[in-house]
């Protein structure tokens, strides 16, 4: 279907990268520009409590933001990883989405401020995110979370990190995860030849050139690109993973790899649901949620999937 008018308005105000031109910004400049692409509303969804704290990580403390719903715990836990190509982004731009999911699903949301490249290249982000999952499993009582009911999720590079956390949980002794929520996840490489990278390379908010730039900063060297803990589509075996909900946008270079990953999960015997949001662009779930009314349907879908995964059903 055609681009949603709200998505077109976002594209129109976003500086375009000229066709065939590489991204040449330094990471700090890119981070500053990134902060101008999203808006936090004055009125935010209500939750019982929001608290910034830090947890132990493999290279020092990891900042996290913990959202607690109304009611009596312990609550299921949803560990969330923000997007930004492993290079930009923070806890702040997912404030609206995290509050919404917390309230609608009745879960403790733990949003993780993992280390960023190029200062901290692969596997820093993946290590921090899995450390956060294990911390929730071992210390859930400290945040009113049930260590036996944990899901992971993220958008874009955060979706990549959620998929990696699920792989690590299977391979490295747990914890057992109830669900992985992968929103527009990075699971393959721009050079893999998928049609969405060709069809939406420029002019649709997230460009192929930007993704290529991220891939010059996150891996330590080209051999990392063969590692499924960097690119989960490189994994030979996807059996035994947590069930997945994969959400994607029609006009997104990353669309096809998310759908391909879900198909491979199903082939491996893992339940995987795919939802494609027609007319939308990258960032619809968290970054641009307050500007794209269709995001509400995506938030509701995630909340329903979490309640179902944790045994609560729909409500």
């Amino acid at each position: 279907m055609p681009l949603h008018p709200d998505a077109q308005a976002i594209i129109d105000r976003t500086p375009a990268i000229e066709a065939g031109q590489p991204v040449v910004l330094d990471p700090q400049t890119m981070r500053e520009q990134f902060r101008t692409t999203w808006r936090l509303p004055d009125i935010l969804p209500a939750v019982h409590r929001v608290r910034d704290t830090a947890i132990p990580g493999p290279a020092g403390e990891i900042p996290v933001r913990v959202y607690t719903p109304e009611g009596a715990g312990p609550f299921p836990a949803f560990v969330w990883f923000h997007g930004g190509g492993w290079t930009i982004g923070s806890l702040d731009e997912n404030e609206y989405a995290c509050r919404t999911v917390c309230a609608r699903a009745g879960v403790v949301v733990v949003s993780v401020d993992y280390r960023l490249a190029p200062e901290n290249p692969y596997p820093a982000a993946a290590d921090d995110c899995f450390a956060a999952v294990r911390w929730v499993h071992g210390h859930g009582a400290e945040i009113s979370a049930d260590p036996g009911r944990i899901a992971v999720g993220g958008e874009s590079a955060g979706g990549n990190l959620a998929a990696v956390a699920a792989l690590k949980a299977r391979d490295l002794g747990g914890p057992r995860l109830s669900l992985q929520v992968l929103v527009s996840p990075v699971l393959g490489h721009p050079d893999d030849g998928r049609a969405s990278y060709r069809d939406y390379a420029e002019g649709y908010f997230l460009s192929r050139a930007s993704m290529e730039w991220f891939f010059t900063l996150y891996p330590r060297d080209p051999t990392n690109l063969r590692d499924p803990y960097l690119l989960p589509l490189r994994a030979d075996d996807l059996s035994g993973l947590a069930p997945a909900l994969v959400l994607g946008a029609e006009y997104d270079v990353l669309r096809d790899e998310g759908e391909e990953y879900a198909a491979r999960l199903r082939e491996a015997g893992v339940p995987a649901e795919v939802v494609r949001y027609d007319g939308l662009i990258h960032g619809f779930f968290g970054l641009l949620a307050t500007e794209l009314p269709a995001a509400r349907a995506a938030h509701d879908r995630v909340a329903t999937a979490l309640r179902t995964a944790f045994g609560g059903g729909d409500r």
Side-chain angles (χ1 to χ4, degrees), residues 256-271:
D256 289 354
E257 59 203 73
E259 296 180 359
E260 179 181 332
Y261 194 65
R264 284 199 53 200
L265 286 170
R266 289 193 294 264
E267 289 170 2
V270 177

Side-chain angles (χ1 to χ4, degrees), residues 289-315:
T290 60
E291 298 182 72
L292 295 171
R296 179 179 177 85
H299 295 160
D300 286 343
R301 181 71 68 121
V302 169
T304 298
L306 288 169
R307 290 194 301 268
T308 300
F310 291 135
D314 200 1
R315 66 182 183 190

Side-chain angles (χ1 to χ4, degrees), residues 1-306:
M1 65 176 291
L3 271 167
H4 191 286
D6 293 329
Q8 185 64 64
I10 292 167
I11 291 169
D12 290 343
R13 74 159 195 257
T14 302
I17 298 172
E18 293 184 16
Q21 295 300 308
V23 178
V24 294
L25 296 176
D26 66 274
Q28 192 58 44
T29 301
M30 191 72 161
R31 288 166 191 159
E32 290 299 323
Q33 290 194 0
F34 179 68
R35 292 188 183 101
T36 70
T37 65
W38 61 277
R39 302 168 184 172
L40 195 64
D42 294 330
I43 299 176
L44 294 167
V47 298
H48 175 65
R49 186 183 186 191
V50 179
R51 180 168 66 100
D52 286 342
T53 186
I55 62 175
E61 290 192 331
I62 305 169
V64 297
R65 185 168 294 166
V66 181
Y67 303 81
T68 308
E70 299 285 350
F75 305 96
F78 185 40
V79 187
W80 177 261
F81 312 120
H82 68 78
W86 313 281
T87 303
I88 58 181
S90 69
L91 304 179
D92 294 335
E93 65 267 13
N94 284 183
E95 182 77 11
Y96 185 90
C98 286
R99 283 172 170 264
T100 299
V101 172
C102 171
R104 293 186 189 171
V107 298
V108 170
V109 177
V110 180
S111 186
V112 181
D113 199 9
Y114 53 85
R115 287 173 288 165
L116 298 177
E119 297 91 340
N120 300 284
Y122 177 80
D127 288 349
D128 283 359
C129 292
F130 187 53
V133 173
R134 283 195 154 171
W135 184 89
V136 171
H137 182 253
H139 299 266
E142 298 176 24
I143 56 171
S144 299
D146 179 355
R149 294 186 292 168
I150 301 174
V152 295
E155 184 169 26
S156 194
N160 167 275
L161 295 166
V164 169
L167 283 167
K168 287 192 168 192
R170 180 198 65 180
D171 297 345
L172 303 177
R176 178 186 172 277
L177 301 178
S178 299
L179 185 69
Q180 50 180 322
V181 177
L182 312 180
V183 183
S184 304
V186 184
L187 301 164
H189 191 272
D191 292 340
D192 289 347
R194 295 181 180 89
S196 56
Y197 258 107
R198 179 194 66 231
D199 296 342
Y200 310 117
E202 291 137 7
Y204 296 96
F205 190 66
L206 176 66
S207 68
R208 178 187 178 112
S210 292
M211 286 305 305
E212 290 172 340
W213 181 72
F214 293 137
F215 274 105
T216 69
L217 301 177
Y218 183 49
R220 286 185 181 272
D221 61 66
T223 64
N224 293 156
L225 298 177
R226 299 195 293 268
D227 188 342
Y229 292 160
L230 195 155
L231 293 179
L233 272 168
R234 303 296 193 255
D236 294 326
D237 179 15
L238 297 179
S239 64
L241 291 172
L245 172 63
V246 182
L247 308 183
E250 179 182 9
Y251 293 90
D252 187 357
V253 293
L254 300 176
R255 184 195 69 194
D256 289 354
E257 59 203 73
E259 296 180 359
E260 179 181 332
Y261 194 65
R264 284 199 53 200
L265 286 170
R266 289 193 294 264
E267 289 170 2
V270 177
E273 179 185 5
V274 175
V275 182
R276 180 192 291 186
Y277 289 93
D278 292 336
L280 293 191
I281 56 175
H282 189 81
F284 67 90
F285 187 87
L287 180 65
L288 304 172
T290 60
E291 298 182 72
L292 295 171
R296 179 179 177 85
H299 295 160
D300 286 343
R301 181 71 68 121
V302 169
T304 298
L306 288 169

